[in-house]
Amino acid sequence: MSVAEILNYTYDDYVQWEGEWELIEGVPVSMAPAPVKRHQQLAGEVFMALNRTLDEACAECEVLYEVDWKVNEETVVRPDIVFVCDDEHEAYLTKAPKIIVEILSPATAKKDETVKFDIYESEGVQYYILVYPDDLKAKVYSLKEGRYIKVADYTHEVLAFDDLSCKMSLDFGKVFQKFRKKS
């Protein structure tokens, strides 16, 4: 038996661990220490902005903050913010979210831009949004024919999610507004 086989963990192992972890293809990945205030504040602004625009007619959909998504038995990730529909499991998400937002930090940027990018793309997440707190910029990717295509960089613009079943938008001008004042 190889070392890789011995050190290959599953969701059942994951739920027993103390601390903050993600599980990527059977490999435990320690999450960064508690995010700095700016990270938390930006995540809160994005969460509230998405939640405010969520159409009341979309009762089967919800915006969630730091929830586990069990992709499969060997991969469990915890995105900063998700928009998901028709997922009734209480302990974790079982379906691919329609939108995932990650607020990048120096400790997580490489993982968010590569490993998670690939996971979200292959699992069919329709929109992946990377928020760069120091630049007050968001890179938005949309899934087209199974591949992420960069939509644009957003700093002051409004992103309309017209191709989702729930009509929503995200106003980056408002999300970043109070942070521009602090800079």
Side-chain angles (χ1 to χ4, degrees):
M1 183 174 277
S2 73
V3 172
E5 291 171 318
I6 294 170
L7 299 179
N8 188 359
Y9 295 94
T10 67
Y11 178 78
D12 290 336
D13 300 312
Y14 168 83
V15 296
Q16 303 299 318
W17 300 335
E18 292 183 24
E20 302 292 319
W21 296 88
E22 289 181 308
L23 183 63
I24 310 290
E25 296 178 2
V27 177
V29 179
S30 177
M31 293 183 67
V36 297
K37 287 180 8 181
R38 185 176 181 107
H39 179 284
Q40 289 289 78
Q41 291 167 338
L42 268 169
E45 290 293 326
V46 171
F47 174 85
M48 289 186 302
L50 284 173
N51 213 29
R52 270 193 299 270
T53 68
L54 182 57
D55 187 349
E56 290 180 13
C58 289
E60 72 282 359
C61 300
E62 56 193 336
V63 179
L64 300 170
Y65 187 81
E66 289 193 5
V67 62
D68 283 347
W69 173 24
K70 183 179 173 185
V71 177
N72 57 48
E73 284 300 317
E74 295 181 340
T75 301
V76 182
V77 292
R78 188 177 303 158
D80 288 321
I81 300 160
V82 300
F83 170 70
V84 66
C85 299
D86 298 316
D87 195 317
E88 297 177 6
H89 199 281
E90 286 297 316
Y92 50 81
L93 298 178
T94 59
K95 296 181 178 184
K98 304 287 184 192
I99 302 169
I100 290 182
V101 180
E102 295 282 11
I103 314 297
L104 276 68
S105 68
T108 65
K110 188 171 186 173
K111 178 175 65 167
D112 293 338
E113 293 171 330
T114 59
V115 176
K116 285 186 167 184
F117 185 100
D118 292 343
I119 292 170
Y120 299 162
E121 181 180 65
S122 69
E123 292 299 320
V125 174
Q126 199 162 347
Y127 285 92
Y128 185 31
I129 302 171
L130 297 165
V131 176
Y132 295 81
D134 293 340
D135 301 327
L136 296 178
K137 172 178 78 174
K139 291 184 180 183
V140 177
Y141 297 89
S142 178
L143 197 64
K144 304 288 184 208
E145 298 176 10
R147 304 287 306 169
Y148 276 139
I149 305 300
K150 187 173 179 185
V151 175
D153 288 345
Y154 286 77
T155 56
H156 294 83
E157 301 79 12
V158 176
L159 171 61
F161 301 101
D162 294 331
D163 53 346
L164 296 178
S165 57
C166 297
K167 298 302 178 211
M168 301 173 60
S169 63
L170 185 52
D171 185 338
F172 288 101
K174 288 184 180 176
V175 166
F176 295 140
Q177 182 176 3
K178 76 178 185 180
F179 302 97
R180 286 193 181 90
K181 293 176 185 176
K182 292 180 181 181
S183 298

